[in-house]
Amino acid sequence: MTATTSTNGAQAPASNRFLIWGGEGWVAGHLKALLEGQGKEVYTTTIRMENREAVLAELERVKPTHVLNAAGCTGRPNVDWCEDNREATMRSNVVGTLNLTDCCLVKGVHCTVFATGCIYQYDETHPWDGPGYLETDAANFAGSFYSMTKAHVEEVMKHYNNCLILRLRMPVSDDLHPRNFVTKIAKYERVVDIPNSNTILTDLLPASILLAEHGEVGIYNFTNPGAISHNEVLTLFRDIVRPSFTWKNFTLDEQAKVIKAGRSNCKLDTTKLTTKLKEYGYEVPEIHEAYQKCFERMKAAGVQ
Ligand SMILES: NC(=O)c1ccc[n+]([C@@H]2O[C@H](COP(=O)([O-])OP(=O)(O)OC[C@H]3O[C@@H](n4cnc5c(N)ncnc54)[C@H](OP(=O)(O)O)[C@@H]3O)[C@@H](O)[C@H]2O)c1
C-alpha cells in the first residue's frame, strides 16, 4: 500500500496506520517491507519535510496514527557533501525534521525519528574499552556538519512529547546494498580499525515498530549491544561470505587526508533500549553474535 491512494473518511483509524517519510530512502524501504510483511497498513511519502503546508496536507490526507521519519540529508556520495551544502543540509536535517515533528504534534500523531548516534567521539572519560555514551550525555563530536545538524535538532526535538528518537549507527542490512556499512568498508582502499556501535537492521527495525506502537517517546541509543572493530567485521565477512576477501588498514591520521568531514567513532550504551524492549519480550543480540547471524543470512541468500 502506498500514499498514491487517498484515504476516505474524517474519522481517525481504529487500528494503526503508518506513514513513512523519505519514502524513497534506503531505511524507508526496509521499514515499508517490514510493515507490509507484518500485514500492517503502511503508506510512504516524499513530501519535503520543511514545507509546512504540504506536510500538514499530507497528514490530513493520509491520517496516520504513526509517522516514521526516515528522511534526512545524508549527502552523496557521502557526508562530505554536507560540508559544501550547508543550507540544504540544515533545511532538511534541522528545519524540516523539526517541522515534521511539530506538524505531527499539531495533528496528534506519534512521530518516530530515525536519527544518528554519530554525535559522539571517544574521549578520556569514554575510551573505546570504557563506558558507552548514554542518551543523556551531551554530544561531543562536531567534526562533520552533518553530525552537527543532527545533534542540534535532537537537542530541541527531545522536548516534543509525541516524539521517539532512535539513534542508529553504521546501519547494516542483510544484502550488499551500497548504503550498507559493510559494503562501504569492503569497497574502501584502506579502512581504519576502531570499535564502534553498529545497527543490524534485521534486529533493530522490528524493535522500532514495537516502540512506536506502544507510544514510547524520548531518545534511545538504537544499536546492538557492544562494539565491534572494522577488522572484526571484515574478518567475519571473509570467513562467512567471501573467502577471497582481503583488505588494508590505515591510521586515523592517514584517513583524515582523504576525507573532508571527520567521521565519528564511538560506543553507545544500550541499557535503556534493551531494558525497555524486555518489557515487550524482545531481545537484541550482542553485536558480534548479530554480525555472525547477519552474514549467515547473506550466505544463505547467495550474496557474495
Ligand atoms: N545510512 C546511514 O549510514 C545512517 C546512519 C545513521 C542514521 N541515518 C539516518 O537515517 C535516516 C535514513 O537514512 P538512509 O540511509 O535511508 O538515507 P537515504 O537513503 O539518503 O534516504 C533519505 C531520504 O530522505 C529524503 N530526504 C532528504 N531530505 C528530505 C526532506 N527535507 N524532506 C523529505 N525527504 C527528504 C531523501 O530524498 P532526496 O534524495 O530526494 O533528497 C532520501 O530519499 C537519515 O535521517 C539518516 O541521517 C543513516
Side-chain angles (χ1 to χ4, degrees):
M1 209 174 295
T2 71
T4 48
T5 51
S6 65
T7 52
N8 297 318
Q11 298 301 311
S15 60
N16 290 333
R17 180 180 291 170
F18 293 88
L19 175 58
I20 302 172
W21 230 276
E24 301 288 313
W26 178 55
V27 170
H30 281 279
L31 283 169
K32 182 168 183 277
L34 174 66
L35 286 162
E36 284 176 345
Q38 293 178 347
K40 295 190 173 146
E41 192 177 1
V42 53
Y43 300 80
T44 63
T45 186
T46 55
I47 297 285
R48 304 314 285 181
M49 292 185 287
E50 60 274 26
N51 186 342
R52 192 167 178 88
E53 291 71 28
V55 167
L56 287 169
E58 187 73 341
L59 291 175
E60 190 53 41
R61 187 177 78 84
V62 181
K63 293 187 169 42
T65 53
H66 296 77
V67 159
L68 303 178
N69 180 7
C73 180
T74 53
R76 289 292 189 277
N78 56 49
V79 292
D80 284 348
W81 183 92
C82 301
E83 298 297 312
D84 297 325
N85 296 273
R86 296 188 176 213
E87 289 89 352
T89 305
M90 286 188 286
R91 199 165 295 128
S92 290
N93 294 354
V94 182
V95 180
T97 306
L98 200 54
N99 182 56
L100 175 54
T101 306
D102 187 68
C103 290
C104 286
L105 181 82
V106 169
K107 293 287 182 189
V109 176
H110 185 274
C111 181
T112 301
V113 180
F114 289 81
T116 182
C118 288
I119 59 173
Y120 297 109
Q121 62 185 349
Y122 291 120
D123 65 11
E124 305 74 44
T125 53
H126 294 84
W128 67 268
D129 55 352
Y133 284 98
L134 295 167
E135 286 80 356
T136 46
D137 285 325
N140 70 349
F141 175 69
S144 85
F145 192 74
Y146 165 83
S147 291
M148 221 176 73
T149 60
K150 294 282 190 174
H152 277 307
V153 78
E154 187 192 278
E155 202 48 40
V156 283
M157 209 164 47
K158 68 184 182 189
H159 298 289
Y160 276 86
N161 70 10
N162 63 324
C163 185
L164 172 66
I165 299 171
L166 304 177
R167 292 170 167 175
L168 284 71
R169 286 204 80 238
M170 302 171 164
V172 177
S173 52
D174 293 351
D175 53 19
L176 285 178
H177 188 280
R179 292 196 66 70
N180 179 348
F181 172 68
V182 176
T183 314
K184 289 182 189 173
I185 62 171
K187 282 194 174 154
Y188 292 153
E189 209 170 302
R190 285 165 194 271
V191 289
V192 293
D193 182 30
I194 303 171
N196 272 285
S197 291
N198 287 190
T199 301
I200 306 288
L201 294 176
T202 292
D203 299 326
L204 272 304
L205 290 188
S208 71
I209 306 304
L210 261 180
L211 294 171
E213 284 185 319
H214 283 89
E216 300 292 348
V217 295
I219 302 173
Y220 285 87
N221 290 336
F222 206 61
T223 67
N224 294 73
I228 189 166
S229 72
H230 295 66
N231 281 4
E232 286 178 303
V233 171
L234 292 175
T235 300
L236 280 170
F237 178 66
R238 179 197 61 200
D239 291 351
I240 302 172
V241 180
R242 193 182 294 169
S244 61
F245 184 71
T246 59
W247 70 95
K248 288 182 192 153
N249 288 126
F250 63 173
T251 64
L252 274 175
D253 285 343
E254 288 167 328
Q255 185 198 40
K257 291 179 192 150
V258 298
I259 52 178
K260 190 158 197 164
R263 301 294 194 269
S264 145
N265 290 292
C266 64
K267 181 171 72 179
L268 304 181
D269 185 302
T270 54
T271 309
K272 181 180 175 188
L273 176 71
T274 52
T275 305
K276 173 56 69 183
L277 289 174
K278 269 199 188 118
E279 289 177 24
Y280 307 126
Y282 192 90
E283 290 206 21
V284 183
E286 192 275 338
I287 190 62
H288 295 82
E289 182 195 340
Y291 258 113
Q292 171 99 23
K293 287 181 182 159
C294 172
F295 288 146
E296 282 167 1
R297 289 191 295 269
M298 256 189 212
K299 190 181 178 195
V303 175
Q304 293 177 331

